[in-house]
Amino acid sequence: MYLTPFQERMLKGEFGWVYAKALEIIVKVGEALGSERLVEISHAHVSGVSYSNIGEPGLDFLRDFYREMPRFRVYTTINPGCVDYGMLSEVIDNKYLGKQALIDEALVGMGAKPVFTCIPYYHRPPLPGEHLAWGESGAVIFANSYFGAMTNREGGPLALASALTGFTYHHGLHELENRVARVLIKISPPIHNKPLSLAGLWIGENVRKVPMLEIKEKPLYEIKALLAAMAASGSHALAVLDGITPKGTYMTGIEETITLEFSDVEKYIGETPGRGETVLGYVGCPHTHPEELFILRRLLERYREPKRGRLLVTMPPEIASTYSSIVRLLLSRKVDIALGTCPVVSVLRKKYDLMLTNSGKAFFYMRKIHGLKVGIASLKEIVESIYT
Ligand code: F3S
């Protein structure tokens, strides 16, 4: 691999072993993939930072780096941790508070912005064509597809290495010729009345090439759920959104057209609450966007308290403080609000019979990780199941 004189010096350890080790990781991965050079990045997003996911080995890895007191060379954000940073949630268990604090101290000490969210684009929307090194599959696919930025799906250690060095390997979605839409997917109107994450689960499972999606006037929060579901049930990191993905950040070479019917996605609706079952309603995977907060406020205004189960909403701490009046209304309706975390990367205090969510990604992981029955429903259906 060709390295610039500056990169050579970093690799030789002139700036310390941490930077040398970090660059070595990137170069090794790049060489294994056939990459010929590195590319500068402007934003790293580090996933795999929840103690309940990475445990002691991950904590030790981070603390070893932190002990040398390095600083991230580029703007760096971090994914949710395994604790509720608002300390109000009765659903999320804060049993790993001390361990998570050690992880956070290391990351923030190296220069990460303590956003604790999987929607880092809320804090810094990337520009079309900008090179990034992001972890977190739902954020990666959103950056590539919605903003036209260029990032591969990085694991936590690689994104961390890019944060330290400011580089990633030039390969995959950093190259325009790998951003070619091959399958045109038309989403039929009946699916438009349901959460779009249903379509995302189907596309993830059934389409291998880069899809181009025809989506009519869908709000950002639906697109976020659709893309995250695709990335969870498949390995997608880019979907061209017709009329949304910035021109010049992709090419088209359509080989096949698929019309997605409601009958294709119906099976993902999953479970519905049975009589007497305890229900955990869940909104906020990926983390709740202000658009969803406005809808929740309108839906919840007329109710006083839940009739069965609980509604859990997860969001970044900064959105909670910016929209504090909506958060107060939700709290007055006994909504359980957890900040900077989510049930997939944390531990739940209590077992519920069923989770009802608008998120295809939560549908995918909550069944696998927590062995929970899960159903997909719209925001309105979720609120009505809990409050009526
Ligand atoms: Fe975010 Fe947790 Fe879902 S990290 S994308 S809310 S699984």
Side-chain angles (χ1 to χ4, degrees), residues 19-89:
Y19 295 99
K21 183 85 206 155
L23 195 61
E24 188 191 326
I25 295 172
I26 296 167
V27 168
K28 277 200 173 142
V29 172
E31 282 178 342
L33 293 169
S35 165
E36 291 176 354
R37 65 183 173 93
L38 302 179
V39 61
E40 274 190 55
I41 58 149
S42 46
H43 180 172
H45 179 69
V46 185
S47 60
V49 300
S50 150
Y51 180 78
S52 77
N53 287 0
I54 63 175
E56 286 299 305
L59 173 59
D60 290 345
F61 175 78
L62 279 172
R63 297 297 294 191
D64 281 350
F65 273 27
Y66 178 52
R67 216 162 281 126
E68 298 297 312
M69 299 300 285
R71 294 287 298 172
F72 292 145
R73 286 192 65 237
V74 291
Y75 181 88
T76 299
T77 46
I78 45 179
N79 228 32
C82 69
V83 296
D84 164 33
Y85 294 88
M87 307 296 282
L88 290 177
S89 176

Side-chain angles (χ1 to χ4, degrees), residues 5-16 19-21 23 73 164-167:
F6 176 74
Q7 290 161 354
E8 290 280 7
R9 288 170 60 203
M10 187 180 275
L11 194 60
K12 279 189 191 134
E14 261 188 53
F15 312 120
Y19 295 99
K21 183 85 206 155
L23 195 61
R73 286 192 65 237
L164 285 161
T165 61
F167 301 110

Side-chain angles (χ1 to χ4, degrees), residues 79-80 118 136 138 228 282 284-287 314 341-345 361 365:
N79 228 32
C118 46
E136 177 49 53
Y282 175 46
C285 174
H287 269 175
T314 57
T341 188
C342 82
V344 174
V345 301
K361 181 167 180 176
Y365 283 111

